[in-house]
Amino acid sequence: MIGITSYGAYIPKLRLERMAIVQALSWYAPAIMMVADGERSMCNWDEDAVTMAVAAARDCLTGMDKQQVEGLYLASTTLPFDDRQNAGIVATALNLPSTLLASDFTASQKAGSTALLTALESVKGGARHNILVAAADRRETRPASFYEMWYGDGAAALMVGDSDVIAEFKGSHTVSYDFVEHYRGAGHRFDYTWEERWARDEGYGKIIPEAVNGLLDKLKLTMADIDHLVFPCVFKAEHRNIARKLGAAPETVADNMHGECGETGTAHSLLMLVRVLETAQPGDRIVVAGFGQGCNALCFEVTGAIADLPPRIAVSGYLARKKSTNNYTKWLKFRDLIQPETGIRAEAPNQTAMTTLWRKRKMLLGLVGGYCRECGTPQFPKMDICVNPDCGAHHTQDDYEFTDRPARVKTFTGDLLAVSVDPPHKYGMVQFEDGGRLMADFTDCDFEELKVGLPVRMVFRKRADDPQRGFVNYFWKAAPAPGAAEEMSRISFAGQVAVVTGAGAGLGRAYALELAKRGAKVVVNDLGGARDGSGDGSSTPADRVVEEIRSAGGDAVANYDNVATPEGGEKIVRSALDAFGRLDVLINNAGILRDKSLIKMEPANWQAVLDVHLHGAYHVTRPALAAMRAGGYGRILLTTSAAGLYGNFGQTNYAAAKMGLVGLMNTLKLEGEKHDIKVNTIAPLAASRLTEDIMPPDLFERAQPEYVVPMALYLCSDACDRTGDIFNAGMGYFSRAAVMTGPAVQLGSGESLPTVEDIADHWERINVMEGAKELYDLNAATMDLLTPVSEDAGTQKKPAQADGGADVQAIFDAMAGTFKPEAAQGVEVVFQFLISGSGGGDWSCAISNQTCTVEPGRHDKPTCTLKMGAEDFSAMIGGRLPPMQAFTSGKLKIEGDVMKSQLIEKLFKVG
Ligand code: NAD
C-alpha cells in the first residue's frame, strides 16, 4: 500500500486583522471592506518560504526516523533563490541524509499538489520508499489589493511512503492548460492579475470540476462516496458554487480558511488536506484538488494507522498559537513595502562566505554541535576539545543536534541601538536542559515576554538579507515555547505545602482543590462536626476531599483534629511536616455558627464560637509560624466576615471572634515580616452550610465558593507582596477593607488639659474623615496622632497610602513643579502611570504647549503607559534606581511608544 504516512503544518504566529488594512486604506480602496472579515496569517520579518517549509517538515517528522527519508520535494512560487536548490537548504536544516533526492517544484499554484503526486508515483514505482513533500508560500501583494486581503502565509508537509500508510493513495486525474488568470513575470515582485470574473468563471469554476469529475469517473466513484472534498478558491461564493456543481454535500466541503489565515498559495490545498486528516476517521475518502494552469485531483482513503500517529501541532495547533495585530505599518515594514530610515549601522557588510557556509553547513544550517564520547557533555559549536573542565578530552566529539532539545532563556537583552526590523533587537544566552548553551536571537516574541527561565524552542529563521548580493542568510533562533510565557506567569504552588483547616466542605474544600491543582501538597483538615460545632466529628468530609485531589493527580493527606485545642493545632501542623517535610501556606478557615442576640447568648455559645474561630486560628498558626520561620517563607490567610467588619444582628460571638482575627493579623504581620511571612485576611461571601438559611435562595445559587478561591489563592501565593490587608471576595466581586483614621485634632494649649467641653466644641472636626489614612502599626498611629494637621489642611488632604509604603501621591503632587517647560518645546505627549502596591494608583501626565497637567486616573489616549511598583517608582524618582536599569530589570514595564518614555528624564528634574 502506498500513500501518506505522516503530516505536518506551519502557520506563522502573527495574524493581521483585515480591518486594520481597511482602516488604513479604505479611503483609497473602499471595496476591500467586502472581504475584511477575520485575519490573515503574516510572516514575521525573518520568515520566508524556506523557513516555513522547515517548520512544517519538522512537524511532519514528529516521531519518524529522519534517516529513512530518501527524497525532499519543495513546492513554492516564492522561493528565495532562483538558482540554488531551495530544497537543499531545507534538507540541510532538517539534517536529512545527503543521499536524498532534493527538488524544487515551482511556477504554478498547483506545484504543491504536483509535488505530492510526483512523490506518490515515485514511491509507487518502487525507486524510493519515503519522500517528504513540503509546500510553502509567502506571496507579495500590493497594498489595498484584494489579494492582500485574501492571501495568507503558511506551509504544509506530507510524508509519502509504502509502510504505515495513514491515507492510501487511490488514484489521480490531472488536467494541464495554459490558463492564465494571473502570472508573475521573471524578476517581478507582484502578480499581474486579470479580471476576477475571468478567473472565477473560466478558471476555478470549470477546471476544478473537470479534474474532480475525471478522477471520480476513473475510480468509478460518485461524489456521494466522498467524505471530504478539499480544494482552494479565494472567492467564497465560487467555492460554494463549485461544490454545488460537483454535487458535494456542504458538510463534506473543507473550509477555505479565509477567516483564520487566508490562502497560502502552493501550500493551500495541502494545508487544507492536513486539516482534514487531523480529524478524519478510518475509511473516510478524501478528494483533494490543486488549481493553477490546470488542476491535479487526488483521492485518498484513510486507514486505521491514522490512530497511531504521534500527536503533532498541525493546522489546529498553529491556528491556536496566534498573536493578532492591527499594526498595518508593521506589516508594511515586515514586507519591505516601506523603507524607513535604518541608520548607517545597517550599512555594515554582511556578506556570507560560501567557503565557511559549506564547511560549517551542519553547524550553521543544522544547528549541529558536539557531544563528548568520554564524558557525555554536549556543546555548541563542536570543537576539538571538550568544554567540560573536568574532561578536556581531545577529538572525542560526535555530532549532536540541538534543534529539538528543550531549552530555556538564561540571559536576555533588548538592544534599541542595534539594527533591527522589529526593535528592540532581542538576544541572549539560551541554555539547553541536557547541556550546551548558545548565544541566540529571540524571535516571535515581544521584549516583555522574555524572562530568565522561559522555555524556548529553536526555530530556523532568516538571520539577515544581503540585498546587494541577493543572498539570504539563515540560522537558528529561540522562540518562546507555546504557552510557556503564560505558564511562567501562572501562579503556581509547585513544591509548596499547604494546610487548609475546615477543608472538608464549603470554601475550605474549594481552596484545597485549587491549591492541589496548582501543584501544592495539601493537608486537608476537618473535624467533621455539625454546623454549630456539636457532635463527635467524622473523618468522611476530609477523606472525601483528599480522594478528590488524588484522583485528579494531586497530593494530599487528611487530618481530623480539632482546631479549637492547642494539641489539635500542633497535630495539624505536624501532619504537614510528617507527610511533606515543610509548610508554606496556612489557611485558617474552619468555622461554626451559634447565632443568638446577646441577651440570649449563654457563655457556652459565646465560648464555642470564639474557640473555633479566634482560638482555633491561634492554635494552628503558632506551630505553623515556627515551621514557616524555619523555611524562611510563609503565607497565612485568616478568615474574617462582614459580620465582624461591619456588624450583623444576632452574631456578637461570631463578630467578636472574626474581628479578633483582624487584630491577630495586624500584629502577626509585624512578627512575620523579616521571615518573608505575609499575613492577610479574607472576608468571603459564599454558599455553604453556614449560609444556606441566611442567604436569599437566588443569591445562594450564584455564590459558589469557587468565586472566592482566586483571591484566597493569590493572597497565599509568592506573587503576593502585601501583608496586613483585608479583602472582601464573593460572586466575582472583590474589594479591600481597611481601618481608616481621620486627621488628628489637638485640643488645649499643650500645657493645659483639654476639657469635655473642648470635645463637644470640636466634635465636628474630630469626626472629619476626609484625608483619612491607613496606619501601618501602633507606632505610625501614635506619630500620626501627635502630629495633627492644621485646621485647613485637615479637611482638604486627599486619602493617602498606608504608612510604610512609598508616598506616590506626594510624587505626583510635586511632579508639575519639577517640569522643565524649556525642554518641552514642540513636545505633545501623555504619560500614563499605573503604580501598583501600597500607596499606588493611576495618574496621567499630559504635556502640551509647554505645560504639564498631572491628574489622577486614566487618560483616554496615553502615548505610553509606564507600569511600576510603588517602592520602585519612588526609588526611580528619588534617583536611587536608574530608569534604564528599572526597564531592563523588568521593574519598569512600558507599553505603547517606548521611545517617548525616554523624554521623562529630559522633561522633569529627577532625583
Ligand atoms: P462550612 O461549614 O461549609 O465549612 C467549615 C468547615 O469547617 C466544615 O467542614 C467544618 O466541619 C469545619 N470545622 C468546623 N469546626 C472545626 C474545628 N473545630 N476543627 C476543624 N474543622 C472544623 O462553611 P464555609 O462557609 O465554607 O466557611 C468557611 C469559613 O468562612 C468560616 O470561617 C466562616 O466563618 C467563613 N465565612 C464564610 C462566609 C460565607 O458566606 N460562607 C462568610 C463569611 C465568613
Side-chain angles (χ1 to χ4, degrees):
M1 190 193 292
I2 68 137
I4 296 168
T5 58
S6 181
Y7 59 77
Y10 179 74
I11 298 169
K13 186 175 172 186
L14 284 173
R15 308 295 150 79
L16 178 65
E17 291 165 11
R18 292 196 176 92
M19 275 310 287
I21 311 178
V22 173
Q23 268 158 13
L25 285 167
S26 61
W27 62 272
Y28 176 76
I32 56 174
M33 182 65 198
M34 288 192 300
V35 288
D37 53 318
E39 347 180 269
R40 57 155 298 161
S41 52
M42 157 185 171
C43 276
N44 202 339
W45 71 268
D46 57 1
E47 295 185 287
D48 66 6
V50 162
T51 67
M52 289 193 292
V54 170
R58 285 176 81 189
D59 196 34
C60 181
L61 286 164
T62 306
M64 301 202 103
D65 177 6
K66 290 198 279 190
Q67 296 313 312
Q68 304 303 317
V69 182
E70 295 162 317
L72 171 61
Y73 297 170
L74 172 64
S76 175
T77 67
T78 53
L79 294 166
F81 292 94
D82 282 350
D83 190 350
R84 173 189 176 188
Q85 194 161 68
N86 298 278
I89 308 172
V90 176
T92 315
L94 294 169
N95 288 304
L96 295 179
S98 54
T99 49
L100 61 61
L101 173 70
S103 187
D104 294 344
F105 287 67
T106 185
S108 167
Q109 292 302 297
K110 75 172 186 318
S113 57
T114 307
L116 175 61
L117 184 54
T118 311
L120 286 161
E121 285 177 350
S122 176
V123 173
K124 199 172 172 184
R128 286 169 209 281
H129 305 284
N130 293 295
I131 299 177
L132 179 58
V133 177
D137 254 327
R138 176 194 184 276
R139 287 177 293 174
E140 302 297 348
T141 49
R142 288 185 198 277
S145 66
F146 276 105
Y147 298 91
E148 186 180 45
M149 306 291 277
W150 279 325
Y151 289 179
D153 304 326
L158 293 161
M159 185 70 83
V160 166
D162 54 12
S163 58
D164 301 326
V165 169
I166 60 163
E168 184 183 1
F169 178 48
K170 296 303 239 183
S172 69
H173 184 71
T174 290
V175 290
S176 291
Y177 297 115
D178 185 28
F179 176 84
V180 188
E181 91 294 357
H182 82 275
Y183 66 88
R184 196 179 320 138
H188 284 255
R189 185 172 178 193
F190 300 107
D191 293 354
Y192 183 83
T193 50
W194 205 251
E195 272 189 77
E196 279 145 31
R197 61 197 169 111
W198 164 251
R200 204 178 52 213
D201 302 345
E202 289 301 308
Y204 286 93
K206 286 190 177 159
I207 296 174
I208 293 176
E210 184 189 342
V212 172
N213 282 327
L215 175 69
L216 294 177
D217 287 350
K218 215 185 243 181
L219 298 177
K220 303 204 179 350
L221 294 171
T222 68
M223 215 7 120
D225 301 314
I226 306 304
D227 302 287
H228 306 280
L229 176 62
V230 179
F231 66 95
C233 178
V234 285
F235 312 107
K236 219 183 200 169
E238 190 56 24
H239 193 251
R240 279 196 301 270
N241 273 342
I242 294 171
R244 210 175 301 128
K245 251 188 236 174
L246 284 165
E251 64 278 9
T252 63
V253 184
D255 176 54
N256 74 352
M257 296 169 67
H258 171 79
E260 298 149 297
C261 88
E263 201 195 77
T264 58
T266 53
H268 209 56
S269 55
L270 306 194
L271 196 72
M272 290 169 71
L273 171 61
V274 169
R275 196 181 200 190
V276 166
L277 285 170
E278 280 185 66
T279 52
Q281 297 302 312
D284 281 3
R285 280 206 196 96
I286 304 171
V287 165
V288 54
F291 174 79
Q293 284 79 58
C295 181
N296 300 311
L298 292 84
C299 181
F300 297 94
E301 189 170 317
V302 177
T303 74
I306 200 156
D308 303 328
L309 206 64
R312 65 223 34 238
I313 309 167
V315 177
S316 55
Y318 278 114
L319 284 177
R321 293 177 181 191
K322 66 166 184 172
K323 181 168 183 195
S324 301
T325 177
N326 58 9
N327 189 340
Y328 183 63
T329 330
K330 190 172 237 190
W331 156 267
L332 293 175
K333 172 63 192 150
F334 282 13
R335 295 309 252 222
D336 208 21
L337 291 162
I338 51 170
Q339 285 85 37
E341 175 61 52
T342 47
I344 51 169
R345 281 166 200 249
E347 290 166 24
N350 61 358
Q351 184 175 20
T352 303
M354 300 303 149
T355 39
T356 312
L357 180 60
W358 166 245
R359 291 192 189 111
K360 304 270 182 202
R361 63 189 182 283
K362 279 193 176 182
M363 175 185 109
L364 295 173
L365 295 181
L367 201 68
V368 174
Y371 180 85
C372 177
R373 276 190 299 281
E374 298 275 313
C375 71
T377 302
Q379 66 183 69
F380 189 91
K382 184 179 174 182
M383 286 188 298
D384 288 344
I385 306 170
C386 174
V387 283
N388 177 358
D390 298 330
C391 172
H394 287 215
H395 305 294
T396 56
Q397 306 266 305
D398 289 334
D399 279 358
Y400 183 86
E401 277 182 47
F402 277 97
T403 47
D404 290 323
R405 312 272 170 191
R408 288 176 188 272
V409 174
K410 191 156 178 68
T411 62
F412 66 94
T413 294
D415 188 339
L416 280 163
L417 293 177
V419 180
S420 171
V421 181
D422 188 18
H425 183 193
K426 301 167 272 293
Y427 55 91
M429 187 65 83
V430 169
Q431 174 72 54
F432 291 92
E433 285 178 17
D434 301 332
R437 52 173 67 169
L438 159 77
M439 204 65 181
D441 287 343
F442 296 110
T443 189
D444 281 0
C445 61
D446 292 330
F447 180 68
E448 292 69 32
E449 287 170 56
L450 291 172
K451 287 188 177 76
V452 170
L454 180 77
V456 289
R457 183 168 191 257
M458 301 311 292
V459 292
F460 186 70
R461 292 295 168 93
K462 287 200 295 184
R463 214 177 80 79
D465 279 313
D466 179 355
Q468 244 179 324
R469 299 171 193 84
F471 197 78
V472 185
N473 187 342
Y474 295 98
F475 190 52
W476 291 80
K477 298 184 183 180
E486 296 76 19
E487 190 55 40
M488 287 272 296
S489 53
R490 188 173 184 263
I491 293 188
S492 164
F493 291 87
Q496 296 196 11
V497 177
V499 166
V500 185
T501 68
L507 287 157
R509 170 181 164 273
Y511 300 154
L513 292 178
E514 189 63 24
L515 279 165
K517 207 159 135 193
R518 288 173 181 263
K521 296 179 168 66
V522 186
V523 174
V524 176
N525 157 263
D526 207 294
L527 179 67
R531 181 182 189 253
D532 64 0
S534 61
D536 292 339
S538 152
S539 59
T540 314
D543 285 344
R544 220 184 277 144
V545 175
V546 167
E547 189 41 45
E548 267 187 271
I549 291 175
R550 289 191 182 153
S551 57
D555 201 351
V557 293
N559 170 285
Y560 322 109
D561 285 301
N562 185 351
V563 299
T565 66
E567 310 77 54
E570 290 282 352
K571 283 190 187 158
I572 293 169
V573 172
R574 181 70 14 233
S575 300
L577 299 178
D578 288 350
F580 306 123
R582 56 180 294 128
L583 180 59
D584 305 280
V585 173
L586 166 63
I587 304 186
N588 285 298
N589 166 79
I592 59 166
L593 276 186
R594 294 193 182 191
D595 295 353
K596 279 182 179 181
S597 62
L598 192 72
I599 295 284
K600 297 181 193 149
M601 178 81 69
E602 309 83 355
N605 289 333
W606 176 269
Q607 192 60 46
V609 166
L610 261 86
D611 278 348
V612 174
H613 291 276
L614 183 58
H615 304 155
Y618 157 73
H619 294 315
V620 188
T621 304
R622 190 166 171 242
L625 191 68
M628 289 176 180
R629 276 175 59 153
Y633 173 86
R635 295 289 181 266
I636 297 172
L637 189 63
L638 300 163
T639 307
T640 186
S641 159
L645 293 176
Y646 313 111
N648 196 27
F649 191 92
Q651 291 197 307
T652 45
N653 53 354
Y654 182 67
K658 288 302 195 190
M659 211 48 189
L661 289 164
V662 173
L664 172 62
M665 170 190 74
N666 283 340
T667 291
L668 196 54
K669 77 176 179 204
L670 304 173
E671 297 180 10
E673 218 160 37
K674 72 169 184 228
H675 306 284
D676 193 15
I677 297 171
K678 311 250 189 269
V679 195
N680 289 290
T681 300
I682 193 161
L685 177 67
S688 75
R689 71 172 179 175
L690 292 190
T691 47
E692 60 196 347
D693 57 355
I694 301 171
M695 269 191 194
D698 60 326
L699 211 66
F700 191 82
E701 281 296 300
R702 285 162 40 212
Q704 295 313 308
E706 286 70 21
Y707 283 100
V708 177
V709 172
M711 175 58 84
L713 261 67
Y714 178 75
L715 294 172
C716 290
S717 73
D718 59 4
C720 174
D721 58 2
R722 300 288 287 260
T723 190
D725 285 331
I726 308 162
F727 294 92
N728 291 299
M731 296 193 295
Y733 295 88
F734 304 95
S735 68
R736 189 156 84 85
V739 175
M740 304 295 287
T741 305
V745 177
Q746 188 185 7
L747 300 181
S749 65
E751 281 159 23
S752 60
L753 286 174
T755 63
V756 180
E757 287 71 25
D758 284 339
I759 300 292
D761 290 348
H762 295 87
W763 187 239
E764 271 189 26
R765 266 192 70 206
I766 296 169
N767 274 281
V768 162
M769 287 300 283
E770 260 176 68
K773 297 185 199 175
E774 271 178 77
L775 297 161
Y776 188 64
D777 61 6
L778 178 140
N779 290 336
T782 311
M783 283 306 294
D784 189 71
L785 185 71
L786 300 184
T787 35
V789 288
S790 75
E791 198 162 331
D792 297 341
T795 53
Q796 283 166 17
K797 230 178 142 189
K798 289 185 192 145
Q801 76 301 322
D803 276 5
D807 197 353
V808 180
Q809 176 70 56
I811 293 171
F812 284 101
D813 286 346
M815 193 169 216
T818 65
F819 176 62
K820 297 189 274 182
E822 68 283 2
Q825 215 161 14
V827 175
E828 295 278 331
V829 66
V830 179
F831 303 114
Q832 176 71 58
F833 295 89
L834 307 183
I835 309 298
S836 58
S838 181
D842 303 343
W843 285 268
S844 72
C845 168
I847 315 284
S848 179
N849 296 328
Q850 291 182 274
T851 57
C852 164
T853 316
V854 179
E855 283 180 339
R858 297 203 182 198
H859 195 279
D860 281 352
K861 286 189 183 144
T863 318
C864 57
T865 301
L866 295 92
K867 295 181 178 174
M868 234 179 159
E871 294 290 341
D872 294 330
F873 179 67
S874 129
M876 188 176 83
I877 297 299
R880 300 186 302 282
L881 174 64
M884 194 41 98
Q885 189 185 324
F887 180 65
T888 49
S889 64
K891 287 180 176 167
L892 166 62
K893 296 211 164 66
I894 307 177
E895 285 167 10
D897 190 338
V898 180
M899 298 312 291
K900 287 273 167 42
S901 67
Q902 297 189 3
L903 287 172
I904 294 177
E905 276 186 278
K906 190 178 131 200
L907 294 171
F908 297 92
K909 292 180 210 107
V910 180

